[in-house]
Amino acid sequence: MSSPTGLSAALEGMVERHDMPRAVIGPDGKWHVRQKGALHPVAVNDLRLLTEDRAEAELARARRERSTKIYDPSTLPLFDVRVSQLKSSSRLHISLDLLIADGGTLVVLLTELAARYADPQRHWPALDLTFRDYQRAMQEAEDSPRYQRARDYWTARVADLPAAPRLPLAAHPADIDTPHFRRKTHRLPAAVWQGLRDRAALHGMTPSAALATAYAETLNAWSDGDPFTLNITVNKRPPLHPQMADIIGDFTATSLLAVSTDPQAPFSARARKLQTQLSQDLDHNEFTGIQVLRELARVHGPDRATIPFVFTSAIDAAGADFGQAVSGLGTMTDSVVHTPQVHTDHQVFEYDGELVLNWDSIDELFEAHDIDQMFQLYVGLVERLSTQDAAWEAHATTRAQPNRPLLFDAAPVPTRSHERRHSARAAPPEQRVSAPE
């Protein structure tokens, strides 16, 4: 990052072009877009005169501060961009509240930021579409026959929708005051990732369905048994306008996926069953997972309205490669997602042609070796599915619970009132954007 000043100019241009980087939540619970004009210069931390060990310590501190930062949604900005200058390179730190962005939006944001930095003279057309327009369209759709059809579908399923997985926990969620997330990550090389895609296609399914099944079966092997329900994140960018793919905002919705494993069926059959159920659910996604959780709370009580195990795939929708998105800014070295009321958040996406598998879990909630072993179990299954035809005919993984006294619970980790309002999975009561002020 040779020019922090150039990066500041690129950031300012992007903030001026889009509305959501200038939005806050007001006392009325609605988004309010501020007028253009406030500056957000990129802060610079010069580490060039420090020893290598001291510089690494400063980088670790910057990562820790950025990754644990809690934003006040009523105060701008809901993002932070800064640069650490090293002797032979620079490190770019980006932190933002997922109220104003999602995984797909990060690709949009990073791609535009990199392009503006590389070519400061490039002309960017004004956006005729805003996130406010999108939200208005979603609200108007609630009067449509498709919405009524989706609501009927989910309200009929609420009575029998299973609870979340019950995994061994090291502490009760209510006893955790300040959760800290830890990331486990693994990459499949491009050739191995291609093997997974080829074998999934041969069995008539998407790679996302295969990975979701592997994730569900890992949780099943470590839990007290299925059936259970997973929280599936869905990116809802309907083709309402030619600029729909260009705007910044949180287009995340959720869908609740019921999982029931037949241990005697081959993996391919189990994955096709999951894909069929997910496809049917997504055909009724006008009634969102948040709304289904409210119905669960109404019918079964608030304890059931928590599905804290999340699966997020960014590999089938837009085909976005995060490596390409950040290529103009450098190479991604570290990342983490903090989501209130979530125990484990699994994300899959492409980076420079490789498949990235990330697990973000709460440190205090699980024994470290339990998460390590679960992740190893999952990665091993994914690698076999990528390289061995026989893995697609294998029976389900047998129970792998530790042989010791365990606490099972699926309750949410408590969050502070202002933190709860900026969960990437749980929207505020009203997600309405007002006109610029």
Side-chain angles (χ1 to χ4, degrees):
M1 190 58 56
S2 58
S3 174
T5 302
L7 183 63
S8 291
L11 179 63
E12 294 301 337
M14 188 174 65
V15 170
E16 183 174 345
R17 183 173 185 242
H18 296 270
D19 61 340
M20 288 309 290
R22 295 178 282 111
V24 295
I25 295 181
D28 57 0
K30 300 178 183 179
W31 284 107
H32 295 262
V33 177
R34 301 307 188 196
Q35 290 284 8
K36 303 170 186 179
L39 298 179
H40 309 289
V42 174
V44 178
N45 189 16
D46 192 344
L47 309 179
R48 289 175 291 184
L49 298 181
L50 300 183
T51 64
E52 184 175 341
D53 289 344
R54 284 284 309 281
E56 282 298 324
E58 284 298 308
L59 288 176
R61 182 184 61 80
R63 282 195 298 269
R64 185 168 58 252
E65 288 179 353
R66 302 281 75 70
S67 65
T68 58
K69 182 177 177 62
I70 296 175
Y71 292 90
D72 179 354
S74 66
T75 304
L76 287 176
L78 298 182
F79 61 87
D80 182 271
V81 180
R82 59 189 59 216
V83 171
S84 294
Q85 292 183 323
L86 305 172
K87 291 179 180 178
S88 59
S89 64
S90 295
R91 192 69 55 85
L92 174 62
H93 311 276
I94 299 178
S95 167
L96 75 162
D97 195 310
L98 291 180
L99 274 178
I100 63 170
D102 55 27
T105 293
L106 285 177
V107 174
V108 174
L109 186 153
L110 294 173
T111 300
E112 181 172 332
L113 184 63
R116 286 179 176 274
Y117 178 71
D119 184 4
Q121 303 306 315
R122 174 177 169 178
H123 171 71
W124 291 84
L127 291 171
D128 300 321
L129 183 73
T130 67
F131 189 69
R132 178 183 178 222
D133 298 326
Y134 159 78
Q135 289 195 318
R136 183 186 294 117
M138 293 298 98
Q139 290 157 12
E140 291 174 352
E142 294 186 3
D143 295 325
S144 69
R146 280 197 63 87
Y147 180 86
Q148 302 302 325
R149 168 179 168 268
R151 185 180 65 180
D152 293 344
Y153 171 84
W154 283 109
T155 52
R157 294 196 56 203
V158 159
D160 300 320
L161 202 65
R166 288 166 52 85
L167 269 66
L169 303 181
H172 194 283
D175 296 332
I176 301 175
D177 180 48
T178 305
H180 298 88
F181 281 77
R182 180 165 66 106
R183 167 156 290 182
K184 302 290 292 182
T185 189
H186 181 80
R187 288 194 183 192
L188 291 187
V192 180
W193 166 217
Q194 186 61 51
L196 178 62
R197 283 185 289 201
D198 292 343
R199 287 174 170 83
L202 185 65
H203 289 280
M205 71 190 68
T206 66
S208 288
L211 290 164
T213 304
Y215 178 55
E217 296 202 351
T218 301
L219 295 176
N220 183 53
W222 216 263
S223 73
D224 62 350
D226 64 5
F228 55 74
T229 298
L230 294 179
N231 208 332
I232 308 295
T233 60
V234 182
N235 190 281
K236 294 184 68 172
R237 280 188 187 245
L240 303 174
H241 188 278
Q243 293 179 332
M244 193 66 195
D246 299 329
I247 62 175
I248 289 175
D250 179 14
F251 297 89
T252 301
T254 59
S255 183
L256 303 187
L257 176 64
V259 177
S260 179
T261 300
D262 179 357
Q264 300 306 312
F267 180 88
S268 57
R270 301 193 303 272
R272 278 194 296 270
K273 177 183 176 183
L274 182 146
Q275 178 172 265
T276 299
Q277 181 63 63
L278 180 58
S279 178
Q280 184 176 341
D281 294 344
L282 294 182
D283 190 43
H284 298 83
N285 72 350
E286 291 84 2
F287 197 75
T288 69
I290 296 297
Q291 293 168 306
V292 178
L293 288 176
R294 291 170 183 158
E295 284 296 305
L296 281 170
R298 183 182 65 81
V299 173
H300 298 289
D303 290 344
R304 279 288 305 278
T306 302
I307 308 295
F309 293 89
V310 178
F311 177 79
T312 303
S313 173
I315 59 178
D316 291 331
D321 186 312
F322 276 78
Q324 295 175 7
V326 304
S327 60
L329 300 172
T331 301
M332 185 170 68
T333 60
D334 187 66
S335 64
V336 69
V337 175
H338 291 202
T339 309
Q341 304 183 49
V342 166
H343 294 182
T344 299
D345 189 345
H346 177 31
Q347 311 111 37
V348 299
F349 59 91
E350 277 193 282
Y351 190 95
D352 281 347
E354 297 182 332
L355 180 67
V356 180
L357 310 171
N358 286 338
W359 276 26
D360 293 323
S361 58
I362 296 176
D363 250 349
E364 297 84 358
L365 197 57
F366 300 97
E367 298 288 354
H369 48 270
D370 283 351
I371 288 293
D372 291 344
Q373 291 178 35
M374 275 194 287
F375 191 66
Q376 291 170 10
L377 183 69
Y378 170 73
V379 168
L381 176 55
V382 172
E383 289 185 334
R384 291 194 300 276
L385 292 169
S386 303
T387 58
Q388 301 174 17
D389 293 335
W392 293 81
E393 304 306 319
H395 292 169
T397 305
T398 57
R399 290 285 183 268
Q401 293 177 18
N403 185 23
R404 53 182 168 78
L406 300 172
L407 169 67
F408 290 91
D409 202 290
V413 175
T415 54
R416 286 163 284 190
S417 59
H418 67 285
E419 182 179 353
R420 188 177 299 115
R421 283 165 41 186
H422 68 273
S423 165
R425 316 297 177 209
E430 273 197 292
Q431 284 283 342
R432 297 182 180 175
V433 183
S434 68
E437 299 175 350

